[in-house]
Amino acid sequence: MKKSVFFSALTVAGLVAGSAMAQDGGSPTLALVKDHGALKCGVNTGTPGFAAPDANGVWKGFDVDFCRAVATAVFGDPEKVEYTPLSSAVRFTALASGEIDLLARNTTWTFTRDVDLKNTFIGVNYYDGQGFMVPKDLGVSSAKELSGATVCIETGTTTELNLADYFRVNGMDYEPVPVDSFTEAQTQFLAGACDVYTTDASALASSRSSFETPDAYVVLPEIISKEPLGPLVRHGDSAWGDIVRWTLNAMISAEELGVTSANAAELAKGTENPEINRLLGSEGELGGMLGLENDWALNVISQVGNYGEAFERNIGESTPIGLARGLNAQWTNGGLIYSPPFR
């Protein structure tokens, strides 16, 4: 009798859980996020322009905007995010353990991080490459003049491995000065603990912009690696991966199609372009296929903006970071930013 009641209870619980997952497009992560009432998003411990708290403690930046976009897709509210600042060393553990639902923290997409660590990179949101920064008074104009230098390098990163490869290939020696975070790297570099600071070129630009005397430092011309940076989720919940992936694609497609935060609501009333109509939910049922409301992308673009708006607001040429679009221009403008079609 007791066994019968126990198994009946399990059956009911299973049916309830299955029903909730069915409503959430079959994604257990989406069900957990909704139950929690906020997206748990892992970000950098502090890289101005990409992810850093402002003077009021409010997180701002290009990667932060992506966290806000996914929260908007799920809740219709970009503020429903809990940010977890993570060092390079612990970021993958935090994702695997369920401490966070999404990692949006300047992370390079590599084979081993995807296959061996069992992460799903949902796309590339910034095409980067590794560079070097030195004090101008060091008198160096090329990375090939750095033999014997001390180098500040963040441990547990692809840049650490690239650095070793570059010096080996060029027959040069160096002395690593290991650091645990972007902030520590800046502090050690400015204190003269190392001759060179190396990391992604975008992070070097971000770092240099925050110095009291940025003109006293130069970024050398060599880019020694490919660093495709992108948000990621853990393996095992492809439906959640679809939500995160198509949120990024919605922001990219919106820019390509001329849909902005300023005109999205008006365009959502209907246009002659069927892809815009499908993107904004006035035609088709794409949102329902993801387990979301049909106006999910309209909410993302209206409240966070398209890819170009997020880029220019946080790291573009008019900001202190001052990055040109370069490889991160739309494919229609000679760049690599490209979304599959919304159909």
Side-chain angles (χ1 to χ4, degrees), residues 73-135:
V74 174
F75 295 109
D77 184 348
E79 304 308 318
K80 290 196 171 182
V81 185
E82 292 175 1
Y83 298 99
T84 300
L86 297 166
S87 69
S88 298
V90 302
R91 55 185 158 175
F92 300 120
T93 304
L95 182 60
S97 70
E99 181 183 349
I100 56 173
D101 308 305
L102 162 67
L103 180 62
R105 182 203 180 283
N106 56 334
T107 297
T108 303
W109 186 353
T110 71
F111 181 97
T112 53
R113 288 173 173 180
D114 189 328
V115 177
D116 191 37
L117 296 184
K118 303 193 184 308
N119 297 305
T120 297
F121 286 81
I122 59 88
V124 176
N125 70 343
Y126 191 91
Y127 288 93
D128 212 339
Q130 183 174 345
F132 299 93
M133 180 162 58
V134 298

Side-chain angles (χ1 to χ4, degrees), residues 46-59:
T47 303
F50 286 86
D54 66 11
N56 298 315
V58 178
W59 283 89

Side-chain angles (χ1 to χ4, degrees), residues 61-83:
F62 185 65
D63 288 335
V64 167
D65 271 354
F66 188 66
C67 300
R68 299 174 74 245
V70 175
T72 306
V74 174
F75 295 109
D77 184 348
E79 304 308 318
K80 290 196 171 182
V81 185
E82 292 175 1
Y83 298 99

Side-chain angles (χ1 to χ4, degrees), residues 310-321:
F311 189 105
E312 296 300 338
R313 177 170 60 238
N314 293 297
I315 56 177
E317 291 182 291
S318 63
T319 70
I321 312 302

Side-chain angles (χ1 to χ4, degrees), residues 30 33-39 70-78 80-81 292 299:
L30 178 59
V33 170
K34 285 184 173 178
D35 185 59
H36 183 67
L39 173 74
V70 175
T72 306
V74 174
F75 295 109
D77 184 348
K80 290 196 171 182
V81 185
L292 302 174
N299 290 331

